[in-house]
Amino acid sequence: MIKIGTALFEAAEQFEREKGISKEVLISSLCDALAAAYKKHIKDKDATNVEAILDEQAGEIGVFRTKVVVEEVMDENTEISLTDAKEIDEDVELDDEVKIEVTPENFGRVAAQSAKQVITQRIREAERKMVLDEFMSKKGTLITGIIQRRTDRAVIVNIGKTDAIMPQREQIPGEYYKPGNRIRVFVLDVKETSKLPQVIVSQAHPEIVRELFELEVPEIEDGIVEIKSISREAGFRTKLAVWSNDPSVDSVGACIGPRGNRIQTIVSELKNEKIDIVRYSNDPVEYIVNALSPARIISVDILADEEDRKEAFVIVPDDQLSLAIGREGQNVRLAHRLTNWKIDIKSESQAREIENRQMSEMQYEEEAIQEDYIEEEEMIDEIAQEALEETSQMGVDEDDTVEEAVDVVEETEEV
């Protein structure tokens, strides 16, 4: 046995406190390293009956081979005679297994070198697995981190046991990420790599708004108020459709909070991003009207309501058109994403022009149809008149023929 003392166990306990890797992992790694070193020493890497055993109380570790008790030894590496086995354990019988210590002399230095490599590798594997398990469970949630540095394409955020990456597409446009500042980020994805897992975080994802509302609004966390849909353009504006499962609880009021303190906290967290909270409705007309707030709506006509095609035509007062569409179409674009309806917005005067144009086109089509009808009637009359004239002429010709025939007969009789 190799004397190792208590220092190893103290170091393992300290490592467990600092790194979170259990003492058992380190001890197991040490035993595996010692067994691997022995196999290399005897030039038999495939030996299956070799193991290292640690006696924690005595502070010793050694290499042992498991051998089967037989009457006649054919393989000294795997078998032991009953006589020799009795010297180790008097109660042993044939076909029993006994553990024989085979620790070579002066094996400590070799074992220490091998143990260092194996333990280092096992520690890295344990750290990787621990980080992977931890952040896999945090995927889709908010966590707090510290900005470490900025690169041309990403922001590196320390989130505890590892650094996370926030790509440019997941950053808030125009936001300055100063190293050392604490920020709250959304764990978007966790990718397993050969080293530490790669954690992707975001500040632009719509779900970060949901998480913030769940943190700030107890009614949402309790399931009384439900977030039905979110559409967001990070750094500018977000629309949130909410629904109350309790008629006595106002879904919009619950999200705003007393004197607006709940919504203000969330707006501050999102760097003063504008948030529109709208009331969800199963009625598409009412839902579209709510989604286009704060604009006033005159009417909503449903043009198509199918699974793969939902279209609506909305009319607003002339002075509300720019508000309904929003700057660069932002308001109607967010309303479309929120409701999943294609929304065509026209002002009252534009709608009137369209209606007048359609009426003119319909009148023109009716006049054209009427003209075609008159022309057809005239043509039919002409054909009928020609037919009558032909019939009359045929009658005259027939009379002439009869008279000629009579004259011929009379002349014949005279002769």
Side-chain angles (χ1 to χ4, degrees):
M1 296 286 282
I2 302 171
K3 191 74 175 178
I4 59 175
T6 59
L8 174 67
F9 305 106
E10 293 174 357
E13 290 173 357
Q14 182 179 356
F15 199 82
E16 182 176 8
R17 289 192 298 269
E18 293 177 355
K19 294 284 188 178
I21 299 173
S22 67
K23 181 177 70 174
E24 286 72 20
V25 171
L26 293 177
I27 292 175
S28 174
S29 300
L30 177 61
C31 291
D32 291 344
L34 196 62
Y38 176 77
K39 291 178 183 180
K40 187 177 181 181
H41 176 72
I42 63 174
K43 299 179 181 180
D44 186 7
K45 294 182 179 180
D46 297 327
T48 58
N49 63 334
V50 176
E51 64 177 323
I53 299 175
L54 177 68
D55 187 345
E56 190 170 345
Q57 292 182 348
E60 295 178 339
I61 189 171
V63 182
F64 292 80
R65 295 196 79 150
T66 302
K67 296 184 178 182
V68 179
V69 180
V70 295
E71 289 183 355
E72 184 179 355
V73 176
M74 304 295 292
D75 185 354
E76 292 184 352
N77 292 326
T78 59
E79 298 173 341
I80 186 173
S81 66
L82 181 60
T83 303
D84 292 340
K86 289 284 186 181
E87 294 179 1
I88 301 171
D89 184 359
E90 293 182 356
D91 299 330
V92 74
E93 296 178 359
L94 289 174
D95 296 329
D96 286 349
E97 291 183 348
V98 294
K99 295 185 184 297
I100 311 298
E101 185 184 357
V102 291
T103 309
E105 294 183 3
N106 303 321
F107 191 61
R109 178 176 296 180
V110 176
Q113 291 176 349
S114 298
K116 181 180 179 181
Q117 297 175 355
V118 174
I119 289 174
T120 301
Q121 182 181 355
R122 291 292 179 85
I123 288 173
R124 287 175 180 171
E125 290 176 356
E127 282 184 328
R128 185 176 64 84
K129 186 177 184 304
M130 186 171 57
V131 172
L132 182 65
D133 292 343
E134 178 183 350
F135 288 102
M136 273 295 187
S137 65
K138 292 181 179 179
K139 185 177 177 180
T141 63
L142 282 176
I143 59 174
T144 301
I146 300 175
I147 299 173
Q148 294 294 98
R149 63 186 185 277
R150 295 186 56 172
T151 66
D152 293 338
R153 297 188 300 173
V155 174
I156 309 302
V157 183
N158 180 266
I159 51 176
K161 294 175 182 176
T162 187
D163 286 342
I165 300 172
M166 183 161 60
Q168 192 168 14
R169 67 178 181 276
E170 300 299 336
Q171 299 171 26
I172 296 177
E175 178 68 14
Y176 176 69
Y177 294 96
K178 182 180 179 181
N181 283 359
R182 297 180 69 87
I183 60 170
R184 191 176 286 181
V185 292
F186 180 78
V187 181
L188 190 63
D189 196 10
V190 181
K191 298 179 180 179
E192 188 173 0
T193 65
S194 57
K195 297 180 181 180
L196 285 177
Q198 188 180 81
V199 182
I200 310 298
V201 296
S202 171
Q203 276 205 316
H205 199 275
E207 286 300 310
I208 197 171
V209 179
R210 184 190 300 274
E211 290 289 323
L212 288 172
F213 271 92
E214 288 179 355
L215 288 173
E216 296 295 332
V217 182
E219 290 84 352
I220 293 178
E221 187 179 5
D222 295 340
I224 299 172
V225 174
E226 185 179 350
I227 297 175
K228 289 288 189 178
S229 180
I230 301 173
S231 61
R232 184 186 185 203
E233 293 189 0
F236 300 101
R237 193 172 186 178
T238 292
K239 283 185 179 288
L240 189 81
V242 293
W243 170 265
S244 177
N245 294 311
D246 185 348
S248 64
V249 177
D250 178 25
S251 57
V252 176
C255 293
I256 295 174
R259 298 182 180 179
N261 57 356
R262 292 175 180 174
I263 190 68
Q264 277 302 322
T265 302
I266 296 171
V267 168
S268 299
E269 183 71 34
L270 296 175
K271 311 298 181 184
N272 295 321
E273 183 176 310
K274 184 176 176 57
I275 299 177
D276 296 337
I277 302 176
V278 303
R279 189 170 282 102
Y280 175 81
S281 175
N282 290 320
D283 179 8
V285 172
E286 183 180 354
Y287 191 22
I288 291 170
V289 169
N290 294 343
L292 287 170
S293 64
R296 288 185 291 105
I297 309 299
I298 293 176
S299 65
V300 177
D301 291 329
I302 302 300
L303 303 180
D305 188 2
E306 301 172 3
E307 187 175 350
D308 58 344
R309 182 169 170 259
K310 295 180 180 292
E311 296 181 8
F313 182 73
V314 177
I315 300 176
V316 299
D318 290 356
D319 62 346
Q320 296 285 301
L321 181 61
S322 59
L323 184 62
I325 294 174
R327 181 179 297 178
E328 298 179 355
Q330 186 184 74
N331 191 56
V332 68
R333 187 165 57 247
L334 288 173
H336 159 66
R337 294 175 188 168
L338 189 74
T339 61
N340 201 29
W341 279 76
K342 183 180 178 182
I343 303 172
D344 184 15
I345 300 180
K346 299 295 181 185
S347 68
E348 202 171 4
S349 57
Q350 288 175 335
R352 195 178 299 112
E353 289 177 5
I354 293 172
E355 186 178 358
N356 292 337
R357 192 183 308 120
Q358 290 176 344
M359 289 182 65
S360 298
E361 290 174 356
M362 288 176 61
Q363 185 176 358
Y364 175 78
E365 290 176 358
E366 288 178 357
E367 290 176 354
I369 292 171
Q370 186 67 25
E371 289 177 1
D372 291 341
Y373 177 76
I374 292 171
E375 289 178 0
E376 265 186 38
E377 288 291 322
E378 291 176 351
M379 184 179 65
I380 290 171
D381 290 343
E382 290 176 3
I383 293 172
Q385 185 63 33
E386 289 177 359
L388 287 172
E389 291 176 356
E390 288 180 0
T391 302
S392 300
Q393 185 62 41
M394 287 176 63
V396 171
D397 293 342
E398 286 180 358
D399 291 341
D400 292 342
T401 304
V402 171
E403 288 179 359
E404 290 177 359
V406 170
D407 292 340
V408 171
V409 171
E410 290 176 351
E411 290 176 357
T412 304
E413 288 179 348
E414 288 176 0
V415 173

